[in-house]
Amino acid sequence: MALERGAGVLVHPSALPGGEGIGDFGASADRFIDYLDRADLRYWQILPLGPVNGSGSPYQALSSFAGNTCLISLDLLAEEGLLTRTDILGYRSESEARVDFQAIRRYKASRFKAAFNTFEAAEAEFAGLHKEFKVFKEEHAFWLNDYALFAAIKADNAEKAWWEWEDKGLVMRQEEAIKAAAVELEQEIELECWLQFIFYQQWARVKKLANDKGILIIGDLPIYTAHDSADVWAERELFEVDPETGEALLMAGAPPDYFCEDGQLWGNPIYKWELMQQDGYKWWMKRMRAVLHHTDVVRMDHFRGFEAYWQVEAGEETARNGKWIKGPGQDFFKVLRREFATEEDTELPLIAEDLGVITPEVEELRDGNNLPGMKILQFAFCEGANFYRPHSYEKNCVVYTGTHDNDTTQGWYRAEGQDYAHMGRDIIDAERDLCRRYLGVDGSNIHWDLIKLAMMSVADVAIFPVQDIMGLGNEARMNRPGIGEGNWRWRMLSEQLDNLEVWYINSMNYLYDRGRSNVKE
């Protein structure tokens, strides 16, 4: 689908206020959609919705198909009669502004069990829900059965990575061991299936509410899957892992650059692209269909990896000694087009995350498929980065003040703390001076200055993190790439959502033809 001219906000559901220590699919999601509607915004961009591990990173999900059940609203379960109000009292967080993933998982687990018990015990009362659950299990069996078994075994093994499980028969997916686990963990497996059913139901309600108001959801698809995932465990023949031990043989990463002299070693196993090509990338097509079930448009993370990817051999402690390997390229996108483009809508519903080391070959792959790329205003004032400045944009792109991997705009402008230790003060001062001169401002309201610059640009879509609307500093940063702890935990306070700016954004949408009312349907 071609993206209509419009603007939107980047915020993950986990960062919304309300709920039990984490944003969820209940009232806070409804309130945020109401805000988008009142501000005449057209897009809500989120991060991947998959189940997270202990780090909380949505880019290291335990499944490419399952959802993060921590986002399930207990209030909605209570409204359906599956929980009582007493059941959902008692959660206390040390800080409303920080998500404690482990504590929330423990707290919600007992409530989920209680809701599931009610569902099973009162089959007549919830007859309709039972029927829908049965259909869900049948329609999603191709991934749900493996994921539910994986999650149940993982919980039974103190959440250890699958290649570290005590029963090596389960590690190797030996038939007898799998059958025995399915019997022993039958109730736990059924609970996992039911929670995915509830997740799909609740998120579908949120998406419909947004779509009914003319608001589209922009999702996110990581190019790689987590090594410790149901995907790699169940279909390891598609990944570069040792068939005997499960250890990764070839790992994904990024080469050394200005920001990281050792490169980035992500640890995700590389795909066996040639093998995937033989069946028409069937697993990938299922994965894309799953994410498009939840969203309207998909940002393809690390797009350049489809043209060529950085490969590091097992045993390396950094990404220094990796090498570039050719990816599936245009052959992969031909199959995508066959699966997802139609005569009525010939454009793929994708955004190319074309940041990093971009070559002419990557640009040809992006432009050959007419995919919008990304422009980051925080990068625009670096030496030699004039292609990030709006005077050089083409219409078919998405401009951001910053992404989830960037500092907030206020934090970036102040350039305080260890995040900027690698940069000399003279370089920082020169960049900020160029920024002020380019915009013709004094920098006192830099977050609004960059939002306005994005809005008035020729780019079809302008997106800004919710932290920039609030003018928050470095303390509100969502992620620091390369830092393993403390990421993904930021969230809004209820009063911050109540006080989000409406009139100024609404007026900019009107002035720069980005509002839903400006677009011809």
Side-chain angles (χ1 to χ4, degrees), residues 53 60-63 146-147 149-174 178 225-249 267-269:
N53 59 23
Q60 292 292 334
L62 299 173
S63 168
D146 281 325
Y147 172 72
L149 178 60
F150 170 85
I153 297 173
K154 188 173 177 64
D156 196 47
N157 280 266
E159 300 297 334
K160 291 179 181 178
W162 61 264
W163 58 91
E164 297 176 347
W165 293 345
E166 291 184 15
D167 187 339
K168 297 310 174 185
L170 293 175
V171 171
M172 299 304 299
R173 287 183 59 87
Q174 294 173 356
I178 293 293
T225 60
H227 186 188
D228 186 22
S229 67
D231 307 291
V232 181
W233 176 67
E235 303 202 53
R236 69 194 70 184
E237 67 277 4
L238 300 176
F239 301 86
E240 293 287 359
V241 298
D242 189 312
E244 298 297 324
T245 66
E247 298 283 354
L249 296 175
N268 308 72

Side-chain angles (χ1 to χ4, degrees), residues 46-285:
I46 61 175
L47 305 182
L49 288 169
V52 299
N53 59 23
S55 72
S57 172
Y59 294 91
Q60 292 292 334
L62 299 173
S63 168
S64 294
F65 302 90
N68 181 1
T69 56
C70 285
L71 299 175
I72 290 174
S73 166
L74 298 184
D75 284 324
L76 292 182
L77 292 180
E79 288 179 14
E80 290 192 71
L82 293 164
L83 290 173
T84 68
R85 286 296 163 185
T86 303
D87 288 332
I88 59 178
L89 295 176
Y91 183 83
R92 293 293 182 270
S93 172
E94 292 183 5
S95 171
E96 290 184 29
R98 306 290 289 174
V99 177
D100 185 337
F101 292 100
Q102 299 287 17
I104 291 160
R105 188 177 292 110
R106 289 192 299 269
Y107 172 80
K108 286 197 170 184
S110 62
R111 274 65 184 177
F112 289 154
K113 181 65 174 175
F116 179 62
N117 288 342
T118 300
F119 170 78
E120 285 208 311
E123 186 169 350
E125 182 179 351
F126 299 104
L129 206 58
H130 275 268
K131 184 177 180 180
E132 292 175 19
F133 179 40
K134 181 180 179 181
V135 172
F136 175 82
K137 287 195 292 183
E138 292 171 351
E139 291 181 345
H140 297 270
F142 71 92
W143 65 266
L144 184 61
N145 294 341
D146 281 325
Y147 172 72
L149 178 60
F150 170 85
I153 297 173
K154 188 173 177 64
D156 196 47
N157 280 266
E159 300 297 334
K160 291 179 181 178
W162 61 264
W163 58 91
E164 297 176 347
W165 293 345
E166 291 184 15
D167 187 339
K168 297 310 174 185
L170 293 175
V171 171
M172 299 304 299
R173 287 183 59 87
Q174 294 173 356
E175 185 176 355
E176 290 186 5
I178 293 293
K179 286 182 177 179
V183 172
E184 180 183 351
L185 300 171
E186 181 180 6
Q187 278 298 302
E188 290 82 356
I189 292 169
E190 189 73 354
L191 172 60
E192 292 292 346
C193 290
W194 185 75
L195 288 174
Q196 289 304 313
F197 165 63
I198 296 298
F199 174 94
Y200 269 62
Q201 271 205 331
Q202 289 197 1
W203 177 248
R205 186 196 69 85
V206 173
K207 183 176 182 296
K208 183 178 187 303
L209 180 63
N211 289 169
D212 285 350
K213 293 178 180 292
I215 296 163
L216 300 182
I217 306 292
I218 300 177
D220 199 321
L221 182 63
I223 185 172
Y224 294 112
T225 60
H227 186 188
D228 186 22
S229 67
D231 307 291
V232 181
W233 176 67
E235 303 202 53
R236 69 194 70 184
E237 67 277 4
L238 300 176
F239 301 86
E240 293 287 359
V241 298
D242 189 312
E244 298 297 324
T245 66
E247 298 283 354
L249 296 175
L250 299 172
M251 299 177 290
D257 59 18
Y258 175 76
F259 297 100
C260 188
E261 63 181 12
D262 288 328
Q264 298 178 45
L265 185 59
W266 300 330
N268 308 72
I270 296 291
Y271 296 112
K272 292 182 179 178
W273 282 115
E274 291 184 2
L275 182 62
M276 287 183 160
Q277 183 186 34
Q278 293 175 15
D279 69 358
Y281 308 100
K282 186 178 294 184
W283 180 84
W284 257 100
M285 296 307 111

Side-chain angles (χ1 to χ4, degrees), residues 392-456:
S392 66
Y393 291 177
E394 64 280 358
K395 285 177 79 282
N396 189 31
C397 71
V398 183
V399 59
Y400 296 78
T401 52
T403 74
H404 62 278
D405 284 333
N406 291 105
D407 202 343
T408 66
T409 292
Q410 279 289 348
W412 164 80
Y413 186 74
R414 298 169 189 165
E416 298 169 347
Q418 63 182 10
D419 294 340
Y420 302 90
H422 66 283
M423 300 175 65
R425 193 70 237 179
D426 56 335
I427 295 176
I428 293 172
D429 290 344
E431 287 182 6
R432 302 323 183 253
D433 179 64
L434 178 57
C435 174
R436 289 189 297 270
R437 288 191 289 122
Y438 189 89
L439 275 67
V441 300
D442 63 8
S444 58
N445 287 296
I446 194 65
H447 55 295
W448 284 119
D449 295 331
L450 287 196
I451 288 173
K452 182 178 180 180
L453 182 62
M455 293 283 261
M456 67 192 302

